[in-house]
Every structure is written in C-alpha cells, then in structure tokens.
Amino acid sequence: MSRGEKTKPTAGFLDTLFGRPKKYGSTASSPMMSGIGGNGIYSSGSGSAYGSGNRTLLRINSDNDISSGSGSHNDADECEMFVEHLDVEALNDKFEEMLDDMNLTEEKKTPLREQTVVNKKKMLMMHYKKSSNEGNKNKVCDKPTEYIQYLSQQDLSANKTYNCVVSLRIALTNHPLSWVSEFGTEGLRQVLSVLNECYRNDGKNAQYARIQYECIRSLKAIMNSTVGLKQMFGHKEALTVIARSLDINKPAVMLEAVKVLAAVSLIPPDGHEKALEAITMSADIENRCRFLPIVQGLKSIGNEALRVACLQFINAIVSTPEDLEFRAHLRNEIMRAGMYDVIDSLETDCSDDLSRQLNIFNAHKEDDYEELVQRFDNVRMDFDDVGECFDVIKNIVADTPAEPYLLSILQHFLFIKDDVSIRYRLYINYNECCYVTTFVSVILI
C-alpha cells in the first residue's frame, strides 16, 4: 500500500470525528455517523433516512409555505393535510428542501429522490411532525439570534451558561443546515468567547470544565457542514482556541479537541497547516512543547479512547506532508517530546484500535526510511543511532569543500559551556536552525 493510500482520509475516520449522532427512537445516542461538508444523514431506530429526535421547529405559515418557527405546535392533522394536498412539483420542491436541511450528499440524496410519491409524503410528514413534537424539548432558546444574545449577556452565571451551551449543542446537532447557517460567524465568535472565558476561569469553578466540554462539542457540530467548516477556517483564532483544550488534566475535553484537530489536519488544501499552526500558537501561550499534551495523552493508561485519538492525530500530522524532510522533522519532534519513552509500552500493551494506529505509524516510518536509504545509495543504517549518523555524514563530506565546515561546527559544539541545562537549550536552538536551513536549501534547489 502506498503512502498516499494510507494517508487518504477515509469516510469512516472523518465520520467518527465530525458526524451527527444517530437517533434511536426519541433518545439521541453518542455515536457519530455523518461526515464533513455535506455528508450528514439522520437515522431513526427503524433505519429510516429522515430526521428524528430534537430537530428544527417547523410551522405552517400559509397554505403554501412551511418554514422554521418559534412556537409549539401540535397540529399534526394540519401538517398532514398540507402535505397531502401538495401537487407533484410542490412535493418535490419541499422534499428537496428537506434533503438540503438534512445536510445530505448527492450520493445519499439520489436513492431518496427515487422513492414513490406516497413514500415521499410519508417521509415529509414525519420530518415535519418530528421537528414540531421534539423541537421544544430541553431548550433555553429557539432562534440562533436568541442563543447569541443570551450568551453575550454580562455576568451570566456559570450554571446558566452551561445550560445554554448544552441546549445550543443539541440545537446545532439536530437542527437542519439552514439553522446552523443562520447561527453563522457571529454565533461562532460567541461560542469561542465562552470558551476563552473557561480558560480565564480555569480552576476557579468546576462548572467551567463542563462548559468547556460542551463548547468543543458545539464547535464540532458547527464544523459538520461545508458552511461551518469555512467559518472555522476563516476565523484566525478559532482552531488555536480549540487547541488550548489539549489539557491532560481534563481528559474528556482533550479527547474532543484532539478529534477535531486530527480531522482538520486531513482536510485539503491547508487543513494540515492550520492544525499545526493552532497547536504551535497554543504551545506558545502555555510555554511548552507543542506536542507535549499529545504524548501525555498516549501515556494515559486506562483511557484507551484518548490514547487512540492522540495516535490518530500523530499519524494525521506526520503522514500528510508530501516532503520527506518535513515528515521526518515532525516525527523526530514528537519522539523528542516523549514518545521515545512510551513507544515500547504501546507495542506490548494496547487494544486492537491502538494497535492498528501503531501499525500505521510504524508503516509510515519504514516507508520514509526506505526513501531516505535510496538517497544514500542504498546504504543501510540506523537513523536513530548517533554514531551511525555521524559516520555517514563524515563519509559524505570527506575530501570535499564542506569538510572543514563540518569540523568547524563540531569544534563550536566543543566550546559550549559544560552545563547540562545550558547545553540542552542551545541544542534545541541549533536543531531549529538546522531545520529552517534544511528547508530553505530544499526550496532554493
């Protein structure tokens, strides 16, 4: 299997990270099944392809219009009468509106369009009835603007904020695409504002950790459409704010955040760059290594879901770049962040899911090793061994104009002050300089 085939984002992987929850009867469950950018689909306990659970409120405004509304309606007979009196053309128009609101891809819409008129009417009626009957449950607000206004209130208590964010997350997950679109950029900014408030109050009130968790889930729901994804990518700090939730002390919150960032890194053309930028800026804020919390997540014995998600993120980050030097740099950086210490334990004690991700990590590493060996005339060596790496470099520059400069570099290293902490920091700086210099030379050549 080629590296490209291994790194190609699969529907199942992205579905798990950004999907909408399935419905079983009237109770929503946590498994996610729909994907990014129009792949969402609802299902009911009986396996139907139309909505169930807490969906949008729909009301009859006139004899020929059904749209989102804010009232509580139990006029099922009126809904049924409206649908029954639609002619074929009007029925198809309303049916298309329903499919669009369900955020379906063209592939999933096609078999539904081929249903009979009778079945289309049944599906449309159930869509409206479910929305009307279930839409008001556990709500703090109704319209997107009401959520935005409520959350923007000054001195809103942590308990009220939590209840509102939970309600918002349910609304974003279960309402159709039109509702999410109306929530828009202003709504996104408000959720990010609440999330930043959680960071400012970290440790002061345990309720803020719960708010933080629901905010991340709300942002994930926003990203479950092309519109929401563009809004997230268009906001300069959105992904950085999410990356600040990579906190091993809050494993449930971190799990949601790392899932989002792993999926983002696989979205072309610049998702990988944005995910890296997010964790880099977050690390600068926290004054730590950018991959440290990810490696800490791998060490979370007993939290298998977090370990799998962290290794998924590592595979997405390392395997996506086309450039070998960049992949090697990222892999080495992660290993230096502490993965060297945990890699052996991962190989001996892991679940099937974790083992699968570990196999992917090792396969990519071996592929890159083979590519690197070819650059050195098929000379086999251990790239993790200092002595062997030095011998290869020495042989490469021997009797060339570069040899005295290698000697000069080594001599400078000898003059570094004999202090463990000073030497460590200087070597980190030298490593970054070598990394930048290597990439500049690749670009110039």
Side-chain angles (χ1 to χ4, degrees):
M1 183 184 296
S2 67
R3 190 184 67 82
E5 291 172 331
K6 292 176 185 174
T7 60
K8 183 179 179 181
T10 61
F13 174 62
L14 296 179
D15 287 353
T16 302
L17 302 177
F18 278 162
R20 293 178 182 267
K22 293 180 181 179
K23 307 285 196 265
Y24 298 91
S26 61
T27 304
S29 66
S30 61
M32 311 299 273
M33 67 170 291
S34 65
I36 302 174
N39 293 335
I41 181 169
Y42 301 98
S43 68
S44 65
S46 59
S48 60
Y50 40 86
S52 66
N54 296 340
R55 297 282 311 284
T56 189
L57 290 178
L58 293 154
R59 66 181 178 190
I60 300 176
N61 289 340
S62 65
D63 289 340
N64 58 2
D65 180 40
I66 295 183
S67 64
S68 297
S70 59
S72 175
H73 301 280
N74 52 16
D75 47 354
D77 291 339
E78 188 176 356
C79 239
E80 185 174 347
M81 185 181 301
F82 173 83
V83 174
E84 286 294 344
H85 285 80
L86 291 173
D87 58 34
V88 175
E89 183 178 356
L91 174 65
N92 287 332
D93 289 342
K94 292 299 178 186
F95 195 76
E96 282 297 320
E97 291 178 10
M98 182 191 76
L99 297 181
D100 289 340
D101 269 352
M102 290 167 64
N103 198 20
L104 302 182
T105 61
E106 285 299 317
E107 182 181 359
K108 293 175 181 177
K109 288 179 181 179
T110 301
L112 296 178
R113 290 181 179 130
E114 295 172 355
Q115 294 292 318
T116 64
V117 171
V118 174
N119 285 342
K120 285 183 179 179
K121 287 183 176 181
K122 288 180 180 179
M123 294 168 67
L124 200 58
M125 281 189 284
M126 182 165 292
H127 174 75
Y128 292 148
K129 287 177 183 178
K130 290 288 184 180
S131 300
S132 180
N133 292 337
E134 302 290 339
N136 278 321
K137 292 183 179 179
N138 301 319
K139 288 194 315 175
V140 173
C141 305
D142 176 28
K143 297 180 179 179
T145 53
E146 293 175 0
Y147 279 102
I148 296 170
Q149 292 169 2
Y150 188 88
L151 290 173
S152 64
Q153 295 179 79
Q154 297 294 324
D155 301 324
L156 194 64
S157 70
N159 190 56
K160 289 182 178 180
T161 301
Y162 172 74
N163 290 333
C164 183
V165 174
V166 170
S167 176
L168 172 62
R169 188 257 304 166
I170 294 172
L172 288 168
T173 302
N174 298 322
H175 279 67
L177 185 59
S178 56
W179 197 98
V180 179
S181 299
E182 187 180 346
F183 190 68
T185 304
E186 186 178 355
L188 170 62
R189 284 198 297 264
Q190 192 57 54
V191 175
L192 293 172
S193 176
V194 173
L195 192 51
N196 276 321
E197 187 67 19
C198 293
Y199 299 139
R200 286 190 289 270
N201 289 277
D202 189 26
K204 297 179 181 178
N205 186 335
Q207 188 78 317
Y208 280 102
R210 300 174 67 197
I211 296 171
Q212 184 179 350
Y213 175 72
E214 292 297 338
C215 281
I216 298 295
R217 296 179 72 190
S218 296
L219 292 171
K220 187 165 70 171
I222 291 174
M223 296 171 73
N224 186 39
S225 67
T226 303
V227 173
L229 206 55
K230 287 181 178 179
Q231 291 170 355
M232 286 292 293
F233 276 29
H235 194 288
K236 292 183 179 180
E237 299 178 357
L239 293 174
T240 302
V241 175
I242 293 176
R244 292 188 64 188
S245 287
L246 298 177
D247 184 354
I248 194 61
N249 296 315
K250 300 174 184 175
V253 175
M254 180 174 170
L255 175 60
E256 295 299 321
V258 77
K259 283 182 177 180
V260 170
L261 292 171
V264 166
S265 66
L266 292 174
I267 301 174
D270 55 355
H272 183 269
E273 178 184 350
K274 289 184 177 296
L276 265 183
E277 181 183 19
I279 64 172
T280 302
M281 294 182 68
S282 172
D284 289 342
I285 295 172
E286 305 293 335
N287 193 27
R288 56 165 171 74
C289 168
R290 60 181 175 176
F291 289 112
L292 178 60
I294 303 300
V295 174
Q296 290 175 332
L298 288 177
K299 298 178 181 179
S300 298
I301 306 299
N303 192 338
E304 201 67 8
L306 180 58
R307 298 174 82 194
V308 172
C310 287
L311 197 47
Q312 265 186 338
F313 175 77
I314 289 172
N315 285 333
I317 284 292
V318 172
S319 63
T320 300
E322 292 295 328
D323 187 82
L324 172 61
E325 286 85 354
F326 194 17
R327 295 197 303 273
H329 169 77
L330 290 171
R331 185 181 294 108
N332 291 337
E333 183 180 351
I334 293 170
M335 297 299 283
R336 290 196 308 273
M339 194 169 176
Y340 271 122
D341 302 327
V342 74
I343 192 75
D344 290 337
S345 63
L346 290 177
E347 292 176 345
T348 58
D349 180 26
C350 61
S351 64
D352 290 341
D353 289 338
L354 192 59
S355 177
R356 188 177 303 111
Q357 293 300 321
L358 189 59
N359 289 338
I360 293 173
F361 177 82
N362 289 329
H364 288 313
K365 185 178 179 180
E366 291 170 6
D367 288 345
D368 285 348
Y369 173 75
E370 292 297 329
E371 184 176 344
L372 197 56
V373 164
Q374 292 176 12
R375 294 190 179 186
F376 295 103
D377 299 324
N378 291 318
V379 175
R380 296 280 167 175
M381 58 174 286
D382 183 0
F383 286 95
D384 293 327
D385 184 271
V386 175
E388 291 195 28
C389 287
F390 174 76
D391 288 340
V392 170
I393 295 173
K394 180 183 175 182
N395 292 332
I396 289 174
V397 302
D399 301 323
T400 71
E403 184 175 14
Y405 293 99
L406 173 61
L407 177 61
S408 176
I409 291 172
L410 295 175
Q411 289 171 342
H412 280 93
F413 282 170
L414 291 174
F415 294 127
I416 295 175
K417 187 176 180 180
D418 188 17
D419 183 292
V420 175
S421 60
I422 292 177
R423 186 184 297 112
Y424 172 71
R425 289 196 295 270
L426 285 175
Y427 271 55
I428 290 177
N429 292 334
Y430 291 151
N431 178 71
E432 292 301 319
C433 291
C434 291
Y435 164 67
V436 172
T437 304
T438 301
F439 271 90
V440 169
S441 67
V442 170
I443 293 172
L444 292 177
I445 293 173

